[in-house]
Amino acid sequence: MTSSDPPLIILGTGYTGRVLFRQAKAEGRIVFAASRVPEKNLTGIPPEQRLRFDLDRAGTWDAIPAQADAVWTFPAVPVDTACAFGEQVAPRLRRLVVLGATSAYDGSPQAVRGEPVDETAPVDRTIARVQGEESLRERYGAIVLRVAGIYGPGRNPLDWIRQGRVGYSHRFVNLIHVEDLAAIILQSLEDGVPGDTYNVSDGTPRRWSEIMDAAATRWGTGKPLPADPTPGKRISNRKLLAELGYTLRYPDLYKAMEELEQPG
Ligand SMILES: NC(=O)c1ccc[n+]([C@@H]2O[C@H](COP(=O)([O-])OP(=O)(O)OC[C@H]3O[C@@H](n4cnc5c(N)ncnc54)[C@H](OP(=O)(O)O)[C@@H]3O)[C@@H](O)[C@H]2O)c1
């Protein structure tokens, strides 16, 4: 990437957006961080790289330059507003990547049967954000990333266990480190097929019980209370690795958690 590449606009600069901003900048891209309240929420970003963007205020959409790449990092709702954005803004973008969630597959036959869930599994269109994502994908060529649980600095699964925010169950969980997610977003802007979907996870669905037993052995966390008895699902990342050719930086949750536990 060089500074002659299209500018990258991050629509919503929260947890993932901030890591994406840093990685894109390090690659030499011209990158803008957007927020509904930039003066309050983007204090760490140089003022000349901040944009005001609010999906609910169409007047702010004009700030997105023509031929830019845009990454949408919040739920694509309300659906009619997401569609209006698709109609008015998507045609002038080079690429649009929309972050969805793997929960879109809950209830799919593959998930219910406990089989690996790949991108051919049907998504639940009764969920408003899924309708928004699918409209942007089918009608306006957005690339949809169906993202597993995001973890990383400040979102440490060990803290979820210590704080009792997850309970002991044999339910499957699928995770992705935020540094991998940001790098995958950048790669999907280059190599993803417009209108296509890619699952984003580290490829190793784990049961919470397995993670908690390992955490108790390695980091001395106590055994939490029982919880959610539903089986969860096993997300496949085969397409991400095979078709985007992505190599995970954090394929091993336990090594990543070891790093998150290091002081500083
Ligand atoms: N957390 C997970 O484990 C997980 C798992 C799967 C998928 N996801 C999805 O992945 C995406 C990224 O997650 P994240 O945790 O990085 O998100 P996040 O920290 O909540 O960041 C998204 C940012 O978008 C902005 N935003 C929200 N609504 C907006 C609107 N209507 N118009 C314009 N900007 C708006 C907000 O910033 P301002 O307030 O500054 O505008 C917010 O900080 C989200 O879509 C999330 O649902 C998350």
Side-chain angles (χ1 to χ4, degrees), residues 34-118:
S35 163
R36 290 167 294 183
V37 200
E39 63 281 5
K40 179 165 158 265
N41 294 346
L42 299 181
T43 48
I45 308 273
E48 63 277 12
Q49 287 175 284
R50 300 179 197 161
L51 289 181
R52 182 181 310 280
F53 171 81
D54 185 339
L55 182 67
D56 299 314
R57 294 174 58 218
T60 64
W61 303 354
D62 297 339
I64 302 170
Q67 284 307 307
D69 285 343
V71 179
W72 181 313
T73 74
F74 57 92
V77 289
V79 178
D80 53 353
T81 315
C83 289
F85 176 95
E87 194 165 321
Q88 289 178 43
V89 182
R92 71 167 193 264
L93 297 173
R94 190 190 75 110
R95 290 274 189 277
L96 173 62
V97 167
V98 177
L99 301 189
T102 54
S103 54
Y105 296 123
D106 287 355
S108 68
Q110 291 89 330
V112 170
R113 290 197 295 258
E115 295 167 0
V117 178
D118 66 14

Side-chain angles (χ1 to χ4, degrees), residues 156-166 224:
N156 182 347
L158 285 172
D159 292 334
W160 307 340
I161 297 169
R162 290 181 181 119
Q163 293 160 9
R165 287 161 57 196
V166 284

Side-chain angles (χ1 to χ4, degrees), residues 189-212:
L189 285 166
E190 296 319 306
D191 301 326
V193 175
D196 211 345
T197 300
Y198 300 87
N199 291 347
V200 176
S201 85
D202 67 13
T204 307
R206 294 181 192 273
R207 295 181 191 277
W208 271 118
S209 51
E210 180 216 313
I211 296 173
M212 288 177 181

